[in-house]
Amino acid sequence: MCFVCTGNICRSPMAEVVFRHLAEQAGLGENIIVSSRGTGDWHVGERADSRTLAALTARGYGGSEHRAHEMDTVDFRTNDLIIALDRTHLRVLSSLAPSPEDLSKIELLQTFVGSSDDALDVPDPYYADDLAFAQVLATIEKSCAALFNQLEPAIRRKR
C-alpha cells in the first residue's frame, strides 16, 4: 500500500506512519508493506517537514526515518492499493497508471470515512501553521482507522 501527496513531506508520510502503527497495534505489521510517495520531485531525499514530525511526535508516533520519494510507474506494480490524499493527486495518479488494472488500485483516502464531495480532500498544511498540521493529522488518523478497519479482515486471511 502506498499513500500519495504532493511532495511526500507532509500528508502522505503522516498517513504511512499512522497506518503502519495501526497494523502493528493489531499484530499485523509483518503482513503489510506501507510506503508513501509524492506526485513531484521537489523534495526527493528530504526528511518529512519539521511540522509533520512535530505533529507526529506530539501524538506518539515516529517518522524521523522518512525520506521523500517521487511516485513512479513501478510503484503500481509493487502496490495493491494506492491512496491519494486529495483529488489533485487522484488525477495525477490516474494519468500515471500504466494499465486499467493499475488504475483500479487508486483510491481517495477520505472516501473510506464516507466524506461528502466537499470534504474529499485532506487539506495541504504546507503553507499553514502548526495547528493545521495537527488538524490534518487528526483527519488522517480518522481516515486511516476507517481504511484499516475495512482491510483488516483481508490482511488477517493472508497470514
Side-chain angles (χ1 to χ4, degrees), residues 2-3 14 37 39 55 60 68 70 72 77 79 83 86 93 99 101 105 109 128 131 139 144 148 152:
C2 184
F3 292 95
M14 285 182 184
R37 300 286 187 263
T39 59
E70 182 180 9
D72 187 285
R77 275 197 313 252
N79 288 282
I83 307 293
D86 71 27
L93 290 167
S99 72
E101 179 185 341
K105 296 176 179 182
L109 181 60
L131 178 60
T139 298
C144 281
F148 184 76
E152 183 179 13

Side-chain angles (χ1 to χ4, degrees), residues 2 9 27 37 54 59 71 81 90 117 123 136 138 141 147-148:
C2 184
I9 60 167
R37 300 286 187 263
R59 299 280 296 141
M71 185 71 180
L81 188 57
L90 187 69
D117 280 352
V136 164
E141 286 176 316
L147 172 59
F148 184 76

Side-chain angles (χ1 to χ4, degrees), residues 15 25 45-46 52 57 87 126 133 138 141 146:
Q25 291 295 106
E46 293 179 19
T52 297
T57 299
R87 287 173 283 187
Y126 187 75
F133 278 79
E141 286 176 316

Side-chain angles (χ1 to χ4, degrees), residues 1-157:
M1 166 184 307
C2 184
F3 292 95
V4 180
C5 70
T6 306
N8 193 219
I9 60 167
C10 298
R11 294 170 283 177
S12 60
M14 285 182 184
E16 176 186 355
V17 167
V18 168
F19 196 88
R20 183 177 295 117
H21 174 80
L22 292 168
E24 288 170 359
Q25 291 295 106
L28 298 171
E30 294 180 6
N31 298 81
I32 189 163
I33 297 170
V34 184
S35 64
S36 62
R37 300 286 187 263
T39 59
D41 64 357
W42 309 279
H43 300 286
V44 169
E46 293 179 19
R47 294 171 53 121
D49 187 286
S50 61
R51 298 164 296 173
T52 297
L53 295 173
L56 287 167
T57 299
R59 299 280 296 141
Y61 301 106
S64 61
E65 69 285 345
H66 175 79
R67 296 297 179 270
H69 293 88
E70 182 180 9
M71 185 71 180
D72 187 285
T73 55
V74 172
D75 293 310
F76 284 93
R77 275 197 313 252
T78 59
N79 288 282
D80 295 326
L81 188 57
I82 298 171
I83 307 293
L85 276 286
D86 71 27
R87 287 173 283 187
T88 301
H89 309 132
L90 187 69
R91 285 190 293 276
V92 171
L93 290 167
S94 296
S95 71
L96 286 175
S99 72
E101 179 185 341
D102 292 319
L103 187 61
S104 71
K105 296 176 179 182
I106 306 168
E107 297 289 343
L108 194 58
L109 181 60
Q110 288 293 87
T111 60
F112 293 96
V113 291
S115 294
S116 62
D117 280 352
D118 59 340
L120 284 175
D121 297 332
V122 174
D124 186 353
Y126 187 75
Y127 294 104
D129 59 13
D130 294 347
L131 178 60
F133 278 79
Q135 291 169 334
V136 164
L137 179 55
T139 298
I140 288 171
E141 286 176 316
K142 180 179 177 184
S143 301
C144 281
L147 172 59
F148 184 76
N149 287 338
Q150 187 168 344
L151 295 178
E152 183 179 13
I155 297 168
R156 286 195 184 282
R157 280 194 299 271

